[in-house]
Amino acid sequence: MVKTLLMLLCVTALSTPALAQNAATGADIAPDMPETFTVNTERFDFIRRDVMIPMRDGVKLHTVILIPKAAQNAPILLTRTPYNATRMTSKADSGTLRSILQGYDNMPDVIVDGGYIRVVQDVRGKYGSEGDYVMNRPLRGPLNPTKVDHSTDTWDTIEWLVHNIPQSNGKVGILGVSYDGYTALTALFNPHPALKVSVPMNPMVDGWMGDDWFHNGAFREEMLSYIYNQDATRKKSVIWWSNQYDNYDLFLNSVSAGQLGKERGMEQIGFFRQILAHPAYDSWWQQQALDRLVPTQRLSVPTLLVHSLWDQEDNYGDIALYYALKHKQADQPNLWLAMGPWNHGGEIKDASTLGPIRLHSDTGLYFRRTILEPFLAHYLKDDAIPLPGRVSAYRSGSDTWETRSALPEQDCTQDCATLHLTAQHQLSLNASASTSGSVSYLADPAHPVPYVQRPVITRDAPGSVWDDWLSTDQRNAASRPDVATFTSPVLTKPIALDGQPLVHLTATTTGTDGDFVVKLIDVYPDEVPEQRELGGYQLMVSSDILRGRYRKSFEHPEAIPAGKPQLYQFRLPVMNHTFRPGHRIMVQVQSSWFPLYDRNPQTYVSSIFTAPPEAYKPATITLDTAASWLKVHQASPVTP
């Protein structure tokens, strides 16, 4: 027994080092994972190429090329994005092109059914591309002394594509939503000869006047999370965080947007530092606003601007660009516009509803089949396909599509409707001015008006209503004492309004700064038999904000003289809506829209980004109803 035990101990002592050595080296265990795995694509219906395309400065940009196996003499549809080209072209575990193109900025029905070669590229500095990322990289010039920008990167990319894809017919179209719509616009500067069409959808155009970052001087505080996620790391490896579920509490407790950004370490981010340094519409913003820059060159590439009437992120720029081009190039033959009842990017997916409101059809499918597909095919293929009308506009309320030669002029001079505010909280549609009177409310920064019903969930987080907030019911706001509400009598006939409503408010405040939010609303009948939950629904059809310090000049802010009437005049976003019989028209006026926009302290400070807590004070706002109205173009009503 003892002898056996000694022998086992000896064997164990001798064998243990050998076993340990094998475990450490893995010499006797073959690895499961190959150094490089090759996907068998024999049964795929497309060829995938991942390439690094060199730019003129030596930087290489990661580009995914998807070529239908049946492609021959096929056009190219290009998208340039900061949102991960690999992810955008790898949406399904499938070997079909239609399956993997599900998701952001892809329209399988347009791309696959049209037989296009699909190309998606990471912009410089993002994901697989080399170089440095700059948010909305300015064009070469005063703000960009380098020899490269998005326009040169697009030119160099197209030059490579037309010489390295033998299945192509040498014609390229560029399209995209939001930031990708912005890059579709920058491609119009000194365009490559092979670029035959551009489709900017919901593009970022002017970040201060009314797109992502500000609206008429009020900072869009909810976009802090986007800046953090997008600009902190190359591959979005750092994500916005919060210890509070309700953004209303988060932003209120942090006092100012500048302070919250500092708490998140955002001063490390160059774009955030630029926002803090440029709260007013100075040359830094003006010199990169595309509605100012695009019209400086003759528009030589056929361009279809696509606008969403309920765009929660970029509802300013494409319409501003449309008017700028029409004013400076009245005989412009290369400009088209499509407008639909969509949120941001809603036109590329099912769009049979507007928030909770059921529409009569899938308006996104209508746009793609009737407007987009013919437009692309006309310029990118050899077929003589008829073009859509110059302006294709969906009319909400009557649920119809209209074709016209142009939008109404921005300044309504004929066929105008004037909506007068009255001291009795009524909205008068009479042509004569309202009788004298006033309406007052107390605006308290400690209790700002939420832009959606609380809790306010961070954009893109589960439970967030961010995508559809512009079509949410406004009854919660109407019930607050700090929201002045003006309502018309029940309509006995349809009233069709379109264009950009002009707000003309005359008001006094006991503070020395303040904001003015104006919302034009369609109030549904108390009973809607076909959809009962819409009984009394209050649907915004056009709304925006003006920061009072910019009432005279967007570039040079000044304090508001306390107790003295001031004129606050600004345009609301474009609308195309029919108020139907049985409905009412409502206007709401308030002085906060939180935390969509940062709170105005209502005490004038040099920068609201650094306003101290003691600057935030209640103020009484008094509207002079005899000198307050909305003016908008009135069209002939269309019967649904």
Side-chain angles (χ1 to χ4, degrees), residues 144-215:
N144 180 1
T146 73
K147 62 180 181 179
V148 295
D149 56 25
H150 282 302
S151 69
T152 64
D153 285 351
T154 306
W155 202 102
D156 294 346
T157 298
I158 293 175
E159 176 71 5
W160 189 96
L161 293 174
V162 297
H163 288 97
N164 290 276
I165 303 180
Q167 301 92 334
S168 164
N169 66 358
K171 296 180 179 180
V172 180
I174 188 168
L175 77 173
V177 174
S178 192
Y179 196 111
D180 304 352
Y182 164 78
T183 56
L185 280 177
T186 58
L188 299 174
F189 292 89
N190 304 310
H192 192 283
L195 182 64
K196 302 302 181 184
V197 67
S198 176
V199 184
M201 297 183 281
N202 315 111
M204 305 165 75
V205 173
D206 189 328
W208 195 94
M209 286 300 299
D211 283 329
D212 288 271
W213 319 122
F214 293 81
H215 273 223

Side-chain angles (χ1 to χ4, degrees), residues 488-635:
S488 77
V490 175
L491 302 180
T492 58
K493 61 181 181 180
I495 295 180
L497 305 178
D498 57 16
Q500 290 191 268
L502 178 65
V503 173
H504 185 285
L505 285 184
T506 301
T508 59
T509 175
T510 57
T512 52
D513 199 358
D515 292 343
F516 290 89
V517 177
V518 176
K519 301 181 285 189
L520 180 59
I521 294 168
D522 184 345
V523 181
Y524 278 60
D526 293 337
E527 180 74 14
V528 181
E530 63 272 24
Q531 198 175 349
R532 285 185 56 82
E533 65 272 21
L534 294 182
Y537 198 88
Q538 296 182 7
L539 172 69
M540 284 192 296
V541 294
S542 188
S543 54
D544 216 337
I545 187 171
L546 171 68
R547 182 137 285 175
R549 61 175 56 203
Y550 299 112
R551 68 199 179 280
K552 294 181 179 179
S553 168
F554 290 126
E555 188 173 0
H556 302 292
E558 62 178 61
I560 299 173
K564 293 185 178 181
Q566 299 290 298
L567 175 62
Y568 302 91
Q569 188 164 280
F570 59 104
R571 289 192 183 94
L572 301 184
V574 71
M575 60 179 293
N576 197 55
H577 185 79
T578 295
F579 296 84
R580 302 177 66 178
H583 291 231
R584 290 175 292 165
I585 303 175
M586 175 183 286
V587 170
Q588 292 180 0
V589 181
Q590 59 200 56
S591 291
S592 54
W593 222 3
F594 186 74
L596 175 64
Y597 296 97
D598 61 340
R599 294 178 303 152
N600 193 313
Q602 301 182 147
T603 301
Y604 188 84
V605 293
S606 59
S607 174
I608 293 176
F609 286 125
T610 56
E614 59 270 19
Y616 292 81
K617 298 178 180 178
T620 298
I621 312 298
T622 301
L623 304 175
D624 180 353
T625 54
S628 298
W629 60 80
L630 275 69
K631 189 175 182 181
V632 62
H633 181 262
Q634 185 168 356

Side-chain angles (χ1 to χ4, degrees), residues 242-258:
S242 175
N243 292 335
Q244 291 169 285
Y245 182 67
D246 189 346
N247 266 6
Y248 189 98
D249 291 330
L250 171 68
F251 287 100
L252 192 66
N253 294 340
S254 295
V255 182
S256 68

Side-chain angles (χ1 to χ4, degrees), residues 347-369:
E347 63 274 16
I348 71 173
K349 51 196 173 186
D350 183 289
S352 55
T353 59
L354 172 61
I357 299 169
R358 294 195 296 264
L359 306 178
H360 292 174
S361 63
D362 182 349
T363 59
L365 182 62
Y366 176 94
F367 160 74
R368 297 192 300 275
R369 285 185 177 174

Side-chain angles (χ1 to χ4, degrees), residues 175-337:
L175 77 173
V177 174
S178 192
Y179 196 111
D180 304 352
Y182 164 78
T183 56
L185 280 177
T186 58
L188 299 174
F189 292 89
N190 304 310
H192 192 283
L195 182 64
K196 302 302 181 184
V197 67
S198 176
V199 184
M201 297 183 281
N202 315 111
M204 305 165 75
V205 173
D206 189 328
W208 195 94
M209 286 300 299
D211 283 329
D212 288 271
W213 319 122
F214 293 81
H215 273 223
N216 296 317
F219 179 64
R220 289 169 65 85
E221 202 165 30
E222 281 275 44
M223 296 303 292
L224 280 177
S225 61
Y226 174 90
I227 298 170
Y228 186 92
N229 295 342
Q230 180 70 10
D231 223 4
T233 58
R234 179 181 295 264
K235 295 185 177 182
K236 200 178 177 180
S237 56
V238 174
I239 302 297
W240 178 264
W241 60 273
S242 175
N243 292 335
Q244 291 169 285
Y245 182 67
D246 189 346
N247 266 6
Y248 189 98
D249 291 330
L250 171 68
F251 287 100
L252 192 66
N253 294 340
S254 295
V255 182
S256 68
Q259 179 60 33
L260 179 58
K262 292 177 181 178
E263 291 172 2
R264 293 295 181 276
M266 292 182 68
E267 287 184 307
Q268 302 170 72
I269 298 172
F271 183 64
F272 181 73
R273 295 197 301 270
Q274 293 283 22
I275 283 180
L276 295 183
H278 301 280
Y281 195 54
D282 58 17
S283 60
W284 190 82
W285 291 106
Q286 295 175 30
Q287 290 174 5
Q288 55 185 306
L290 293 185
D291 55 322
R292 291 170 173 252
L293 296 174
V294 172
T296 62
Q297 293 189 8
R298 186 69 181 171
L299 186 63
S300 59
V301 176
T303 300
L304 171 62
L305 297 173
V306 182
H307 177 74
S308 294
L309 291 162
W310 278 266
D311 189 330
Q312 76 277 13
E313 294 178 22
D314 294 305
N315 66 359
Y316 170 86
D318 48 5
I319 298 300
L321 176 57
Y322 172 86
Y323 280 117
L325 285 167
K326 294 293 286 185
H327 292 163
K328 295 187 178 182
Q329 303 175 17
D331 60 338
Q332 180 51 252
N334 288 320
L335 181 62
W336 281 261
L337 172 68

Side-chain angles (χ1 to χ4, degrees), residues 397-420:
S398 62
D399 206 6
T400 55
W401 282 92
E402 302 170 344
T403 300
R404 58 183 73 164
S405 59
L407 287 181
E409 287 298 319
Q410 282 181 297
D411 295 321
C412 187
T413 57
Q414 58 183 356
D415 299 324
C416 304
T418 304
L419 311 177
H420 295 278

Side-chain angles (χ1 to χ4, degrees), residues 9-27:
L9 290 173
C10 290
V11 170
T12 301
L14 290 171
S15 61
T16 298
L19 290 173
Q21 183 177 2
N22 286 340
T25 63

